[in-house]
Amino acid sequence: MNTVWIIFKREVKAYFNNPLAYVLIIIFTLLALGLAFLTGFIENNDASLEGFFRWHPWIYMIFGPAIGMRLWAEEHRTGTTELLLTMPVSPWQAIAGKFLASLVVLSAALLSTVSILFTVSWLGDPDWAKVICGYIGSFLVGAASIAIACAVSALTRSQITCLLVSVFICFILVLLGYDFVADFFRDVSETLSSIANGISLLWHGQEMAKGNMRLQSLVYLFSVIGFSLFATSVIIRTKRS
Amino acid sequence: MSIELQKSAPAPVTPVKPRGNAALFSVVGVLLVAGVLVVVNMVSSIGSARLDWTENKAHSLSKGTEAILSKVDTEVKVQLFVSPLDNIPPPERPVVGEVLNMLERYRERAPKFIKVEKSEVPPVASDELEEALRLGISNQQGYFFGISVKCADTVVIPSVPALLRSGESDNMEYHLSRAISRVSGARRATLGIMSSLKLHGDPSMGLPPSEIFRDLMEQYDIRIIDPSSVKMQAYNAQTRMTEDLKGKAPPEGKIPSPGEKNPDGSDMDHAVDSVLVVHPGGISDLAMYALDQYILRGGRAVMFLDPHNSLAGELSRNAQRGPFGGGGDTIPSSSSVKKLLDKWGYTFDETKLVADAGYQRTLGQLQNGTPVTSPVMLTLDKDAAINDSDLVSKLTNIEMAFAGAFSGTPATGLTELRLLQTSKKADFVGTEAAVWPIQRDMSNLPQFLKAADTATRQMKPDGIQKVLALRLTGTFKTAFEGGKPPPPPEKPAGGMPGGMQGMPPGMFGPQGAQGDTGAPAAPSAPVPAETAPGTPAAPPAPAPATPAAPAPAEGAPAATPPEVVPAVPAAAPAAGGTVPVTPAPPPAGTPPATPATDTKPVDPNHLAEGSAEGLVYLISDADMLCDVMGLASPDNVKFAANLVNEASGDRNLMDIRNRATGRRPLTKLNEIRDEVNSEDSKAKEEQDAKLKKIQDDINAKKSVADKNNAYFAGMKALLEQEKEASAKRWNLEKEANKKLRSRINGIKWYNILIPPVVVAMIGLIVFIIRKSSTAAR
């Protein structure tokens, strides 16, 4: 655990000593709050944050890969991967430390949107438990997209390539839950539609934004995170060997 | 010289990794892990394990449904009839899945008794199609999507999409649970409905049954009670018509209570479990007496009274324009049960509306963006609920229009529970503010805006919240000490009492009976003053002054004399006895009352005091149930149905209905709007003062001729002033609207821009600190 902590601290410093993290957080905040307020949040006259959370999966489609792209690609590019892994550090510890550091950036981004909580509580009377559930869902969807980017970054030296591929994967996973796509699958088969919803980051995020924390959603999101990190480990080990 | 070989570091010993690790971290291992995770996900998707974070548990079956399902002890078949997905429009398709999920939750809860079946209805002749059509499942949209719930009886929900489009998406569970409760043997309660608004509809007028009626019809056996004669008729849900009661009808002027006996000891037929009274315009004394005695016998009543009802006006106008030259009855626009309220300790002023700046409703926007609001049209949120009663605490969007308010304290023996109240920014205004805003062609929008504006400026809130709804329980006392009043005179055939068909009342004949025209009641048998049984008779007190009838305009027929209520000394009548009643002479100046020296038998079943605890809900608005006028919001119907369910003792369904999330409006927007408007109120007051001065100057003239001259002379100035004042007020409205938009935009942009700026500043600070610490090194 000490090793994880050391790597975690190093990565957090690397993020926040670099303008990139701040730029990413600013862009996330602008998009999240801008899309919420400019698409009728107040005009809808509803003290619910569903209109705020529904945009998050789309934002994470880019934000997650943007955070995760440097996790391993940078190490590969500078040749420090081998150095890191020759130290008495197991791949799991390195992966965990880096992933947790990226979650700190994600958390900081979500924290920067708390102004909407003050606004909505001033304007009306929101259901706070539902809001918390929405934030948990948003965090897990964001973590899943970062984990996917982490796995892709382990494959390549180029951060741009990592970004593009991760964005594509996240885009597919988000799009599967979008209305017209869901309708298309429903035309083909009810089962296919259920499967598409089941693997859609958008659908799971929306369910949690409604305050409906399904076991299925938790299992899926943690599965994506776990599998992506496991895949990262396999890739790292394969490259090392 | 020997060179000592440096001992090299021992070669690292690479631990031999087990073969398992190599297998796990190979491609095969990845696929294996992926496969395991897929299986785990598939397993987790079976069933509906979830944690419902919503306050109203919108994603779980409610306790009410669980209570209903726990009582089911016979097999109930829930059959979903739905067209193939290809035939269903894409926007409706997700609903199929949602409904199936909900049905699956029902099945999981009671797997032994609840059977769920999905029948796909093809567009060609088939057994499924035949069954769906036989059940009345609707395919009006071109596809089938309905539910039948079958056990001993069958209840059909003919069109799920129509149900969802009506805004009742959260009440799918309510309708299903209610259907299951009904078919699985629960006793169907009887509900009496007394209303002058034809809640059950009127095919001859093209009036459909109201939303609240349709809701209650599913649950109760309905009896329609005439608010004048108290005649009771059954409502046939199949034919959608009223019909005479089968079997022995109740005695005249009586609403039978459950368990009540006939004189011969047999159970009285057609007992009513609860009574819903909605705008009983022109209610007769006999009807009030029937309600009075029903409540005294432990009956439960829900009463929606109204100082001004829009539907009554519409129905009256339609009746006037009806077939064969009109001549239909007019319905009074206000309603109250004054005698009962007086006895219960309350007053309800039928000439006053509640105006509330805190809860005023925004109805829409003009093309220039000006919001259309009125302080007499209210949207009540959770803050309007006075207590945590389930009846109101979970309803977040109750809409009232042209409501009144109750004032007073409960009489001895009664307990009050207040349910809804206004904000502290409420006041009373006259009924002239009651202008319905939206005609089809928007032709009366200017009148509405003017009335709303006038009401806003007339209001002088005193900080006291007005009571809009309350409950009374306890031992009630009769409001009819003299016993049962005589029945009202029968209305002549042809509708218009004493007049030619199609002509205004009284034009060619005497005024009609009470309730037909809203004229003050002709004096009935005088009511003796209240004395306790056995006490010596008190000397007669002078009759209380009653407001004199307005002087009739020249040429108009004489108005009926106002009701005179003399105090008469009399002991409380013993059961079965007669009461000699002699009126005291009326005060000087009042027109002579109809002589009413009379002796009448007292009903042996007449109660002076309650024999069981009664329950009454009083609500100060009936427009809220008039969906024909577009005023019955889903929460309104829920509220009314909750009250009836509570009165009937069915809490399970109330629990389900209350569980709907409803909306949580941004109430602060109303306050902001109010602040912005109040900034300009001074300017508006100045305009009004100018207009008033001109009118006062005219009125100060002594002679009629001078008055007329001044009136015509001042008229031109008045019109110009009014035009100028209207233009200024319009500009003030525009400015107020701009300020409101500006404040809302300010909220938006502060929220969008400030957090990123804060983050940027934090980054800058971190950068500066790091730079300075690096430089220091």
Side-chain angles (χ1 to χ4, degrees):
Chain A
M1 278 309 290
N2 199 27
T3 317
V4 173
W5 175 246
I6 291 168
I7 295 175
F8 168 77
K9 274 199 311 185
R10 171 187 166 249
E11 291 297 319
V12 169
K13 276 188 191 165
Y15 270 120
F16 287 99
N17 286 342
N18 192 319
L20 177 66
Y22 299 98
V23 169
L24 286 175
I25 292 171
I26 287 170
I27 291 174
F28 175 85
T29 311
L30 276 171
L31 282 176
L33 294 174
L35 286 169
F37 280 100
L38 297 178
T39 55
F41 176 70
I42 292 183
E43 286 78 358
N44 287 344
N45 196 23
D46 189 12
S48 154
L49 289 185
E50 284 182 51
F52 167 64
F53 289 120
R54 73 185 164 112
W55 294 107
H56 286 201
W58 296 100
I59 300 171
Y60 287 135
M61 201 170 70
I62 299 173
F63 183 71
I67 295 179
M69 66 183 180
R70 63 168 293 283
L71 284 174
W72 289 101
E74 181 71 13
E75 303 274 3
H76 291 330
R77 191 183 66 79
T78 56
T80 50
T81 313
E82 292 77 12
L83 184 66
L84 175 66
L85 296 175
T86 53
M87 291 181 182
V89 173
S90 72
W92 272 113
Q93 288 169 330
I95 292 165
K98 284 174 174 289
F99 182 65
L100 289 173
S102 66
L103 292 186
V104 171
V105 179
L106 173 64
S107 304
L110 282 174
L111 198 64
S112 67
T113 63
V114 293
S115 63
I116 198 172
L117 300 182
F118 293 110
T119 302
V120 79
S121 68
W122 175 62
L123 289 174
D125 178 28
D127 183 347
W128 288 113
K130 191 171 155 186
V131 170
I132 293 171
C133 182
Y135 266 106
I136 292 174
S138 175
F139 180 81
L140 289 175
V141 170
S145 59
I146 293 172
I148 292 168
C150 179
V152 174
S153 80
L155 277 171
T156 174
R157 292 170 181 264
S158 165
Q159 292 188 38
I160 303 294
T161 309
C162 170
L163 178 70
L164 293 173
V165 172
S166 312
V167 166
F168 177 73
I169 296 172
C170 291
F171 175 69
I172 297 295
L173 290 179
V174 167
L175 197 66
L176 282 173
Y178 192 55
D179 291 342
F180 78 85
V181 174
D183 291 339
F184 169 75
F185 281 118
R186 208 168 279 115
D187 275 348
V188 176
S189 154
E190 195 76 43
T191 308
L192 201 58
S193 170
S194 300
I195 293 172
N197 274 340
I199 58 175
S200 164
L201 291 174
L202 181 66
W203 185 79
H204 289 292
Q206 282 174 345
E207 285 294 300
M208 301 205 33
K210 287 184 215 168
N212 188 17
M213 186 180 279
R214 294 171 182 259
L215 176 66
Q216 181 189 0
S217 297
L218 290 176
V219 168
Y220 171 71
L221 291 169
F222 279 111
S223 297
V224 168
I225 295 168
F227 179 74
S228 301
L229 297 181
F230 174 70
T232 308
S233 171
V234 168
I235 296 165
I236 298 291
R237 284 171 193 269
T238 307
K239 284 201 166 185
R240 188 174 66 167
S241 62
Chain B
M1 182 170 117
S2 64
I3 298 171
E4 285 186 3
L5 290 172
Q6 282 190 338
K7 286 187 182 168
S8 60
V13 175
T14 307
V16 175
K17 289 184 186 148
R19 277 190 192 174
N21 265 358
L24 182 62
F25 291 106
S26 67
V27 172
V28 171
V30 168
L31 291 175
L32 199 63
V33 167
V36 166
L37 288 174
V38 165
V39 169
V40 167
N41 272 272
M42 283 171 67
V43 167
S44 71
S45 67
I46 297 168
S48 57
R50 69 190 69 213
L51 204 55
D52 192 340
W53 288 60
T54 57
E55 194 175 324
N56 285 358
K57 302 298 173 199
H59 304 290
S60 320
L61 286 182
S62 67
K63 287 190 181 118
T65 293
E66 297 201 352
I68 288 171
L69 291 177
S70 65
K71 287 181 197 162
V72 173
D73 55 6
T74 57
E75 187 174 292
V76 175
K77 183 176 165 190
V78 181
Q79 195 169 0
L80 174 66
F81 289 87
V82 64
S83 295
L85 281 176
D86 287 342
N87 296 355
I88 299 177
E92 310 280 2
R93 288 175 193 169
V95 177
V96 178
E98 285 175 19
V99 171
L100 280 170
N101 281 341
M102 180 176 282
L103 294 180
E104 188 55 27
R105 291 209 287 275
Y106 275 77
R107 193 197 61 76
E108 286 166 10
R109 183 63 184 80
K112 201 170 159 194
F113 300 115
I114 302 291
K115 308 294 175 199
V116 174
E117 190 179 308
K118 177 186 169 189
S119 294
E120 208 166 80
V121 182
V124 296
S126 62
D127 291 335
E128 292 85 3
L129 178 64
E130 191 181 330
E131 178 74 7
L133 291 173
R134 187 184 68 78
L135 288 169
I137 302 278
S138 167
N139 68 333
Q140 284 175 355
Q141 292 87 22
Y143 58 94
F144 289 90
F145 193 172
I147 296 173
S148 84
V149 179
K150 186 175 176 184
C151 180
D153 196 358
T154 303
V155 171
V156 176
I157 301 170
S159 175
V160 170
L163 182 73
L164 299 178
R165 268 195 287 276
S166 72
E168 291 193 30
S169 56
D170 296 330
N171 276 339
M172 186 71 235
E173 182 186 345
Y174 167 73
H175 284 273
L176 265 174
S177 297
R178 187 174 66 180
I180 291 173
S181 172
R182 183 178 157 185
V183 305
S184 59
R187 186 185 82 83
R188 204 162 144 85
T190 304
L191 173 69
I193 296 183
M194 182 189 287
S195 174
S196 56
L197 297 180
K198 298 183 192 289
L199 292 182
H200 57 286
D202 187 343
S204 66
M205 294 171 69
L207 187 68
S210 65
E211 184 70 33
I212 182 63
F213 186 86
R214 289 200 303 272
D215 187 287
L216 294 172
M217 188 177 77
E218 292 294 322
Q219 243 181 288
Y220 299 96
D221 285 331
I222 304 284
R223 300 284 181 265
I224 305 294
I225 305 173
D226 186 273
S228 181
S229 64
V230 199
K231 184 181 173 191
M232 202 185 294
Q233 289 185 297
Y235 181 82
N236 188 322
Q238 304 297 326
T239 61
R240 307 242 162 176
M241 306 270 291
T242 54
E243 56 193 29
D244 288 334
L245 297 175
K246 294 184 177 60
K248 193 175 174 187
E252 186 196 45
K254 189 172 190 64
I255 302 174
S257 306
E260 194 171 353
K261 304 283 184 195
N262 287 314
D264 61 7
S266 60
D267 281 340
M268 196 174 281
D269 289 340
H270 306 295
V272 168
D273 292 289
S274 55
V275 173
L276 173 64
V277 179
V278 179
H279 189 69
I283 186 171
S284 65
D285 277 356
L286 184 66
M288 275 195 276
Y289 176 78
L291 287 170
D292 174 81
Q293 293 294 296
Y294 175 77
I295 292 165
L296 260 63
R297 287 192 300 273
R300 283 128 186 267
V302 180
M303 298 191 185
F304 287 79
L305 310 175
D306 209 335
H308 179 94
N309 186 268
S310 306
L311 181 58
E314 274 301 304
L315 290 176
S316 298
R317 277 189 286 276
N318 284 343
Q320 294 292 315
R321 290 193 297 263
F324 311 117
D329 292 342
T330 56
I331 300 169
S333 61
S334 68
S335 62
S336 179
V337 286
K338 187 176 185 314
K339 285 186 177 165
L340 302 183
L341 289 175
D342 287 346
K343 195 65 184 176
W344 299 339
Y346 290 90
T347 56
F348 182 73
D349 191 342
E350 294 174 66
T351 64
K352 297 286 180 203
L353 308 180
V354 161
D356 189 345
Y359 289 133
Q360 64 180 337
R361 195 188 324 171
T362 302
L363 295 145
Q365 275 187 348
L366 299 178
Q367 282 189 339
N368 62 2
T370 305
V372 177
T373 62
S374 171
V376 293
M377 300 192 74
L378 312 179
T379 298
L380 306 176
D381 63 11
K382 282 174 65 171
D383 289 336
I386 298 174
N387 58 66
D388 291 334
S389 162
D390 286 344
L391 293 164
V392 291
S393 62
K394 292 174 187 167
L395 300 175
T396 56
N397 212 30
I398 296 178
E399 295 178 350
M400 287 185 162
F402 320 136
F406 298 100
S407 47
T409 51
T412 311
L414 298 181
T415 306
E416 172 198 86
L417 177 70
R418 296 188 174 187
L419 298 175
L420 291 172
Q421 62 185 358
T422 63
S423 72
K424 289 184 179 172
K425 297 177 184 173
D427 193 13
F428 289 105
V429 296
T431 53
E432 64 275 4
V435 176
W436 176 235
I438 309 292
Q439 300 287 13
R440 286 207 178 113
D441 59 355
M442 305 282 282
S443 57
N444 71 333
L445 186 58
Q447 294 98 302
F448 167 76
L449 292 173
K450 187 173 175 182
D453 187 51
T454 304
T456 304
R457 284 180 287 110
Q458 277 178 3
M459 290 170 58
K460 302 267 184 291
D462 53 8
I464 298 173
Q465 290 164 287
K466 317 292 182 256
V467 179
L468 301 171
L470 61 94
R471 184 186 75 187
L472 291 175
T473 50
T475 305
F476 288 77
K477 290 191 174 63
T478 185
F480 292 85
E481 296 285 340
K484 185 176 174 180
E490 285 201 16
K491 294 171 195 172
M496 242 10 227
M500 284 181 64
Q501 278 195 344
M503 304 310 291
M507 182 68 82
F508 291 100
Q511 290 280 353
Q514 174 194 355
D516 293 338
T517 62
S524 54
V527 178
E530 181 184 20
T531 51
T535 55
T546 53
E554 194 176 356
T560 52
E563 184 178 23
V564 175
V565 184
V568 174
T578 59
V579 178
V581 175
T582 309
T590 57
T594 302
T597 302
D598 197 4
T599 302
K600 56 184 184 352
V602 173
D603 181 353
N605 293 325
H606 171 81
L607 292 176
E609 191 168 319
S611 59
E613 185 171 285
L615 179 147
V616 175
Y617 287 105
L618 294 168
I619 303 93
S620 63
D621 179 44
D623 287 280
M624 61 190 293
L625 299 182
C626 299
D627 49 302
V628 172
M629 305 299 290
L631 288 163
S633 75
D635 268 10
N636 286 9
V637 175
K638 281 177 213 169
F639 175 57
N642 278 353
L643 294 177
V644 174
N645 288 157
E646 174 83 350
S648 304
D650 192 342
R651 287 201 62 91
N652 285 336
L653 287 174
M654 191 175 79
D655 181 46
I656 300 168
R657 190 187 284 112
N658 269 352
R659 211 181 47 78
T661 49
R663 292 188 62 214
R664 291 171 176 250
L666 300 174
T667 51
K668 185 72 179 178
L669 291 181
N670 273 342
E671 289 181 32
I672 295 173
R673 191 170 292 118
D674 190 39
E675 276 173 39
V676 166
N677 284 335
S678 68
E679 287 166 10
D680 301 317
S681 62
K682 195 177 169 200
K684 289 176 187 173
E685 278 170 12
E686 283 173 9
Q687 300 299 325
D688 288 338
K690 273 189 200 169
L691 292 171
K692 192 171 180 308
K693 186 171 182 319
I694 295 175
Q695 284 159 352
D696 287 345
D697 287 345
I698 293 171
N699 289 336
K701 303 294 178 195
K702 298 257 189 266
S703 73
V704 173
D706 283 343
K707 258 196 192 134
N708 285 341
N709 290 338
Y711 176 78
F712 286 115
M715 193 63 178
K716 191 178 172 189
L718 194 70
L719 285 172
E720 282 182 15
Q721 287 271 2
E722 198 171 24
K723 197 173 162 186
E724 189 190 322
S726 293
K728 282 191 179 160
R729 257 191 243 117
W730 179 257
N731 288 332
L732 287 169
E733 286 285 346
K734 278 200 317 189
E735 286 304 313
N737 188 46
K738 276 186 197 166
K739 283 183 198 170
L740 181 65
R741 275 207 305 265
S742 163
R743 286 185 69 164
I744 289 176
N745 285 340
I747 293 170
K748 285 186 192 175
W749 287 108
Y750 288 147
N751 273 274
I752 293 172
L753 295 177
I754 288 181
V757 167
V758 167
V759 171
M761 286 176 60
I762 291 172
L764 201 61
I765 291 168
V766 168
F767 174 73
I768 291 169
I769 292 172
R770 199 169 145 261
K771 199 85 174 147
S772 62
S773 64
T774 312
R777 286 191 211 129

